[in-house]
Amino acid sequence: MEKLIITRPDDWHLHLRNGGMLKTVLPHTARQFARAIVMPNLRPPITTVEQALSYRNEILAALPPGSAFEPLMTLYLTGSTSLAEVKAASESEHIHAFKLYPAGATTNSDAGVADPKQIYPILEALQKYDLPFLVHGEVVDPEIDIFDRERVFLETHLADIVKQFPALRIVVEHLTTQDAVEFVTEAGPQVAATITPQHLLYNRNALLVGGIKPHYYCLPILKREQHRQALVNAAISGNPKFFLGTDSAPHLQHLKEHACGCAGCYSAPLALELYAEAFEANSALDKLEGFASFYGADFYGLPRNSESVTLTKTTWTVPTDFDTGEGLLVPLRSGEQLTWKLI
Ligand code: DOR
Ligand code: ZN
């Protein structure tokens, strides 16, 4: 195939940050996607409707002129999130979900939730108001091996949440294991998942063989090949529970290429091309549109987009870096060639 025309996709998991970083990364996403679920893990985190609406205005102000991109806002759950805040969120047309970060699991998660049981009254309210509950599914117990943290979270916490709140809409974000694919597949239709391009294309060798490659470091961390294959099979299955969420997570170059490097892959400028590469490698380009443009919107109860985008078989070189004004930002596949191009 030389040309692929699909309905304009949405990104159901995105980090935009603020300030100079926001101004640099937003045009990259807005060029590819019509809408995105915007993660609330800023410093300080976005925990109230008021903060989310002001962040939304900051994003709209940073959009390139003429862009029709729509940010879909989320709130960060803490041990002190109130029932009143859930109600207020349910009454705002701009708030689409609440996000759980287990405290200490990842970037800017210190204000997150120590024990998910703590927030069961809030989950009850999310269920009542039919607001999606987005989960970073990893335990933080230092005894648990980093490669097992997703599986243990599902067994220890998520299985009980699904049982206690059978009507709660849940998105298990950025799946990385076969165990998670099975968990989501076996749950009811209220449980769905996002999958990133890096977890479809790479296993942990990309991160560790031939030297440490910090730009492939994200959380949850890349896993074994067996898990990558399970994710590919889920993404190309046509099962509407699995949809696109890049988890594009920009960090400045000097903080990635560091003795204690930050977690996050910056994929926004080439996200759709990476997904096309992964689907093509598995002879499943015909399944890309459902995954990228339909299932997420259906799950969130939003209309599908009406315009379309075109990808062509064109070789191009990914820019080595972007100047944010605060430092350089290095994308995934920096300086490498891609064979699909969004025009
Ligand atoms: O790799 C990651 N980066 N995983 C996350 O969960 C957070 C993200 C970030 O905000 O940088
Ligand atoms: Zn994320």
Side-chain angles (χ1 to χ4, degrees):
M1 204 186 289
E2 291 301 308
K3 190 168 160 183
L4 183 62
I5 301 174
I6 61 168
T7 301
R8 180 174 288 280
D10 302 302
D11 185 349
W12 301 99
H13 184 132
L14 176 68
H15 298 269
L16 287 174
R17 319 299 190 202
N18 40 20
M21 187 64 98
L22 169 66
K23 292 197 179 71
T24 306
V25 303
L26 183 62
H28 297 158
T29 286
R31 186 181 159 258
Q32 298 226 340
F33 298 103
R35 298 169 288 196
I37 284 279
V38 178
M39 289 296 134
N41 63 333
L42 301 189
R43 258 185 210 287
I46 304 293
T47 57
T48 66
V49 172
E50 197 184 332
Q51 284 173 312
L53 296 181
S54 123
Y55 183 31
R56 179 174 177 273
N57 287 336
E58 189 185 343
I59 296 168
L60 294 177
L63 275 173
S67 168
F69 176 78
E70 193 189 346
L72 309 172
M73 309 311 292
T74 63
L75 298 191
Y76 184 114
L77 287 163
T78 73
S80 39
T81 299
S82 69
L83 294 170
E85 206 62 55
V86 179
K87 182 165 187 291
S90 75
E91 287 161 0
S92 166
E93 59 180 321
H94 299 305
I95 313 294
H96 293 269
F98 278 71
K99 174 79 188 273
L100 169 69
Y101 288 100
T106 187
T107 307
N108 296 349
S109 65
D110 346 338
V113 175
D115 178 357
K117 282 231 156 60
Q118 247 184 295
I119 57 157
Y120 274 20
I122 297 296
L123 299 187
E124 184 80 53
L126 292 177
Q127 177 175 257
K128 174 171 145 200
Y129 294 114
D130 197 22
L131 271 166
F133 172 54
L134 317 183
V135 183
H136 182 109
E138 284 193 291
V139 290
V140 295
D141 182 347
E143 307 269 291
I144 308 291
D145 190 279
I146 186 169
F147 292 98
D148 297 330
R149 288 181 173 200
E150 182 174 271
R151 178 180 54 75
V152 174
F153 184 90
L154 301 175
E155 292 166 2
T156 321
H157 301 295
L158 205 58
D160 191 59
I161 292 173
V162 170
K163 205 160 99 203
Q164 303 292 333
F165 306 101
L168 177 64
R169 278 190 289 158
I170 300 174
V171 183
V172 191
E173 300 291 341
H174 41 53
L175 294 197
T176 64
T177 56
Q178 180 173 6
D179 312 81
V181 168
E182 286 166 6
F183 182 97
V184 171
T185 305
E186 285 160 20
Q190 82 286 5
V191 179
T194 54
I195 306 181
T196 76
Q198 65 267 24
H199 291 102
L200 288 178
L201 287 167
Y202 308 112
N203 63 36
R204 62 197 197 176
N205 283 8
L207 176 66
L208 297 168
V209 172
I212 289 187
K213 316 271 178 13
H215 296 288
Y216 289 85
Y217 174 57
C218 65
L219 288 170
I221 199 160
L222 293 171
K223 305 292 194 302
R224 284 180 177 277
E225 177 60 11
Q226 159 209 343
H227 296 293
R228 187 191 71 82
Q229 286 192 2
L231 295 169
V232 167
N233 290 338
I236 69 172
S237 66
N239 183 340
K241 282 168 166 278
F242 299 101
F243 45 82
L244 185 157
T246 63
D247 198 16
S248 175
H251 292 274
L252 294 177
Q253 180 178 26
H254 72 277
L255 299 175
K256 291 284 297 170
E257 299 171 13
H258 188 279
C260 183
C262 295
C265 296
Y266 183 54
S267 61
L270 60 155
L272 199 54
E273 289 93 335
L274 291 175
Y275 283 109
E277 185 177 307
F279 276 63
E280 183 183 44
N282 293 280
S283 311
L285 277 175
D286 59 321
K287 294 295 202 307
L288 182 62
E289 185 177 40
F291 175 83
S293 315
F294 296 160
Y295 307 150
D298 298 349
F299 184 86
Y300 275 89
L302 294 168
R304 293 179 178 182
N305 297 317
S306 47
E307 59 300 10
S308 57
V309 295
T310 304
L311 287 152
T312 60
K313 214 65 210 276
T314 309
T315 300
W316 63 288
T317 306
V318 178
T320 35
D321 49 47
F322 301 96
D323 188 355
T324 69
E326 295 156 1
L328 294 180
L329 170 62
V330 177
L332 207 60
R333 299 278 282 271
S334 166
E336 291 179 34
Q337 289 198 332
L338 293 188
T339 56
W340 282 102
K341 191 166 185 8
L342 177 68
I343 56 167

